[in-house]
Every structure is written in structure tokens, then in C-alpha cells.
Amino acid sequence: MNPDFETYRLGDEHEALREAVRALAEKEIAPHAAEVDDQARFPVEAQKALVKAGFQAVTIPEEYGGQGADELAGCIVIEEVARVCASSSLIPAVNGLGLTPILLSASDELKRQVLPSIAAGDAMISYALSEREAGSDAAAMKTRARRDGDSWVLNGTKCWITNAGESTWYTVMAVTDPEKGARGISAFVVHRDDPGFEVGPKERKLGINGSPTREIYFQDCRIPADRIIGAEGTGFKTALATLDHTRPTIGAQAVGIAQGALDAATAYVKERKQFGKAVGEFQGVQFMLADMAMKVEAARQLVYVATSRAERGEPNLGFISSAAKCFASDTAMSVTTDAVQLLGGYGYTKDFPVERMMRDAKITQIYEGTNQIQRMVMARALLK
Ligand code: COS
């Protein structure tokens, strides 16, 4: 045996980061989580605390004013915030989603235009791929971008845009050549003050109520020509390559939600007495807890492996990033549901956090690709 064996152990820096985010999340974010959900209001306290600590978008490189952290660090931030408030964890998660296309494919000049404001916490960025009729079939989008002199002019509607209205910047995929299918899609960065850009009303949702979800509209929205991300026609590839990097971050969010529910349920069954003893002393309850913890740990390890492979820029990330997102989100759904069960009637009330966690968990099986799409991506990788 060798106590210094470092394989399959997080380094000291990552452990220190977890400790720091956990402390901040418990002190500054958790106390507002129930109210943020109840009032469906943006978690301004969380935003302030995350920005003050520099945790709102840790993967921005130092040359653009960021922390220069790796993708595993990005996942740890999201996981620890989600453990207390999933809505708040969408601040770092959606920034990561919006800025990854820029990190992967944008020119240095465009990176310099956009990234420093996000790194400073003065701006957030959202990601706009989906449309009402182009969800899983993302390449069926209709939003158009036409070149006009020194500008691109966008027309169309994107939907399910997380943090829309709060974000300053939007990464937008649009069709530049309708004859070319997926190869006729390009990616752009739009600023909320660009003429012809507007946001719609907030969707009324089951969970993640603190994070606004809206449509965004482009009506002859004119942006400078240099706001295209990469070459014309590469937008769909950039969009999917982005998801290879960010699906593990949704896995991390799911792990955090599940861990929060597991912690609440574990504390409860030690205190709650029935038939003259703590309900945690009953084997039926113990088996449930053990299964919950086993799944959370398996999901966490899968997420960390996936995000580490993404950080190394390994090829063929589709299988592992979809597996991490899919397994972790299915875990979050089952663990939060069991946590509600373990708290019985109390679990079904807003006096305890587990019903919120159960509602918040559901979206992780849907966004950044439904778990049916994840299974399709995994199967394609196996069969190719
Ligand atoms: N990275 C880079 N390029 C990729 C890629 C990846 N991971 N996966 C596919 N591509 C490329 C393909 O190589 C192909 O390009 P070429 O024609 O030049 O070879 C192009 O993208 C289209 O690929 P494909 O034909 O496989 O696309 P499909 O239309 O069949 O769609 C799925 C593939 C279904 C996997 C994709 O549309 C998807 O992930 N849908 C879900 C979207 C989603 O997650 N939405 C959530 C909203 S974002 S929060």
C-alpha cells in the first residue's frame, strides 16, 4: 500500500476550492434558497457572493481577466452551489455554457470584447440554440442571419433561454445558408443593447424558479460582422462541441442537488422517532440511504472523469459527457424522490428543502439535451 498514491483522488487545490465554495454557499446562498424559489426571483445574494469570490465563471483564462481554472474546478463550483440552491448554480453553469463556444472557436479579438466583462462579474452570458420547433432536432432551427455590409442581421426567435433578461451577452446559433443543413449554421455573440434584440416574458416552471427562462427575439437585429464565432458554417459543430464540455457540468449540478437531498434526509432520519426509535435505525430506511449515497458517489466519479477528459481536450467526448449528464441527472431524480419519501409528509411541504430539490432535479434530465438524446449520442458512439 502507498498512502501517497494520487490516482483517483482530487488534488489539494480542488479540495480547497470545494471547501471554499461550500462555506460560501452555506453562509451566503442557502439562507435565501427557499425564498428565491417561492418568489421566483433572481438570486441576487448568490450572484453578489459568487462574483465577490470570483466563482461566477472560473474557466475564463487569465489573459482575459479570468481565474484560468480547469473544467473540473468549474464542476466543483457548480456542484457545491447546487447542493444548497440549484437556481443559483445556474449562474456559473450558464456562464460556462454561454462562453464555451467563444473559448473553443472565437477569434482573439472577440474573446477580448466579451470575456473580460464576464470575468469581472459585470455581465453574464446565455446560450441560445433551441427554438420552439427545434429542440432535440437542434439543426432544424429557423433563425436566420444574413450578411449586410459590415453587419450580420438576425431574424427569428430562440426559446428556453436560461437567465435571459439577466444576461448581457447571448451566444446565438443561426442559419446563414439554408441550403447546407447543419453546415449552414453559424454562431454569433449578441449584446442585449443591440438594436432589434428583445426578451420575452418569464416561463412559469416546475423548478429552478430563481433562474428566469425566456424566449429571445431578433427583429432585424444588427450586429457587427466581427461578432461571428469562428468561420461561417461552423456554428452547429461549435454548438455540439460545447455540449461535450458542458454536459458534465449539468451532471455536476445534478450531483450537487442529489447530495443536498441526501444530506437533508440523513439528518432527518437520525432525529425523527417512530415506534420508540430513530427511523434511521430501521433497516428499510438504511437500505434506501445506502442506495442513494452509492448512486451519488458513482455519479460524482463519472462526472469528474468526463470533465477531466474534456479539460484535456480528448477526442470523442460524446459518450462520456452524455453518460455523465444522463447518469447523474437520473440519479438526482431518484435520490431527491427518495429523500421526499424518507421525510414522509414533512418532505412534501415547503418547510423542508427536499421538495424543492425534487422539482429542481427534474430539469437536469431535460436541458442540455434530454436523457433520450444522451442515450442516442451514447449509442451512436458505440455503434459507429
Ligand atoms: N462535436 C463536433 N461536431 C459534431 C459533434 C460533436 N460532438 N457531433 C456531431 N457533430 C457534427 C457532425 O460531424 C456533423 O458535421 P458534418 O456533417 O460536417 O460531419 C454535424 O455536426 C451534424 O451532426 P449529426 O448529423 O450527427 O447531427 P444531428 O442533426 O443528427 O443531431 C444530435 C445530433 C441529436 C445529437 C444533436 O442535435 C443534439 O445533441 N441535440 C440535442 C440538442 C440539445 O442538447 N439541446 C439542448 C439545448 S442546449 S441547452
Side-chain angles (χ1 to χ4, degrees):
M1 287 206 307
N2 173 10
D4 297 325
F5 184 67
E6 293 298 344
T7 307
Y8 283 103
R9 173 158 90 181
L10 289 190
D12 292 344
E13 270 188 32
H14 287 116
E15 288 297 358
L17 175 68
R18 180 195 300 289
E19 239 174 75
V21 183
R22 182 169 291 201
L24 175 140
E26 285 183 348
K27 182 155 174 262
E28 316 266 5
I29 300 176
H32 308 285
E35 187 195 290
V36 157
D37 171 64
D38 214 36
Q39 298 180 357
R41 67 162 178 86
F42 190 71
V44 281
E45 300 87 353
Q47 185 183 30
K48 227 169 126 189
L50 289 167
V51 166
K52 192 162 169 229
F55 291 152
Q56 78 281 11
V58 293
T59 57
I60 297 178
E62 285 172 11
E63 56 188 305
Y64 304 110
Q67 309 278 331
D70 54 71
E71 295 181 33
L72 173 57
C75 278
I76 290 171
V77 171
I78 293 164
E79 177 189 338
E80 287 300 327
V81 176
R83 182 174 156 271
V84 302
C85 178
S87 289
S88 298
S89 73
L90 284 162
I91 295 170
V94 172
N95 274 337
L97 178 62
L99 66 84
T100 298
I102 298 171
L103 288 184
L104 289 177
S105 308
S107 66
D108 188 53
E109 296 81 69
L110 187 52
K111 287 178 183 166
R112 286 188 194 287
Q113 268 190 61
V114 178
L115 298 179
S117 58
I118 303 164
D122 299 330
M124 296 198 298
I125 183 164
S126 293
Y127 179 88
L129 175 67
S130 300
E131 298 180 3
R132 288 273 164 204
E133 303 303 328
S136 293
D137 185 6
M141 69 180 66
K142 292 280 182 290
T143 296
R144 269 295 252 135
R146 286 191 180 80
R147 186 69 190 252
D148 181 25
D150 279 348
S151 312
W152 288 98
V153 179
L154 276 67
N155 277 287
T157 300
K158 294 284 175 182
C159 77
W160 313 128
I161 309 308
T162 308
N163 285 352
E166 296 294 334
S167 286
T168 301
W169 298 104
Y170 296 82
T171 297
V172 179
M173 272 49 77
V175 177
T176 43
D177 185 346
E179 305 298 311
K180 290 195 179 153
R183 292 180 192 184
I185 292 171
S186 305
F188 301 90
V189 185
V190 175
H191 188 280
R192 68 172 167 210
D193 293 339
D194 288 329
F197 174 81
E198 257 184 66
V199 302
K202 280 203 296 190
E203 302 287 349
R204 294 153 61 239
K205 299 176 304 205
L206 175 70
I208 52 161
N209 285 320
S211 169
T213 309
R214 304 172 191 264
E215 287 189 329
I216 57 176
Y217 311 119
F218 306 94
Q219 267 188 318
D220 291 326
C221 175
R222 189 171 286 272
I223 63 171
D226 65 2
R227 294 250 212 89
I228 190 166
I229 299 175
E232 201 180 324
T234 59
F236 196 65
K237 275 186 206 262
T238 297
L240 292 189
T242 294
L243 296 175
D244 284 344
H245 287 263
T246 57
R247 282 174 176 159
T249 70
I250 297 305
Q253 181 186 44
V255 167
I257 297 170
Q259 184 68 54
L262 175 63
D263 291 348
T266 306
Y268 182 84
V269 300
K270 286 202 258 184
E271 294 297 323
R272 172 72 172 169
K273 290 201 171 56
Q274 290 291 277
F275 305 102
K277 55 183 177 182
V279 296
E281 289 180 40
F282 291 100
Q283 199 177 46
V285 168
Q286 292 174 355
F287 280 8
M288 281 177 77
L289 271 186
D291 280 342
M292 291 157 75
M294 174 174 67
K295 284 191 265 188
V296 173
E297 191 54 25
R300 178 177 290 117
Q301 299 306 325
L302 193 52
V303 166
Y304 290 179
V305 168
T307 194
S308 299
R309 285 177 61 176
E311 170 65 25
R312 288 192 290 271
E314 289 186 17
N316 305 322
L317 290 167
F319 176 84
I320 194 74
S321 71
S322 283
K325 188 272 191 194
C326 186
F327 186 78
S329 57
D330 285 350
T331 294
M333 198 65 244
S334 83
V335 167
T336 54
T337 306
D338 283 350
V340 170
Q341 190 68 22
L342 284 174
L343 269 73
Y346 296 103
Y348 203 67
T349 70
K350 291 192 184 242
D351 297 335
F352 288 85
V354 288
E355 63 81 33
R356 164 170 54 83
M357 291 165 172
M358 180 176 155
R359 287 184 288 105
D360 289 345
K362 184 63 209 172
I363 192 62
T364 65
Q365 294 180 303
I366 298 171
Y367 61 15
E368 288 205 29
T370 62
N371 282 2
Q372 287 68 34
I373 287 291
Q374 310 306 329
R375 289 179 167 92
M376 211 171 101
V377 172
M378 285 187 269
R380 279 186 185 184
L382 292 172
L383 296 170
K384 86 168 180 215

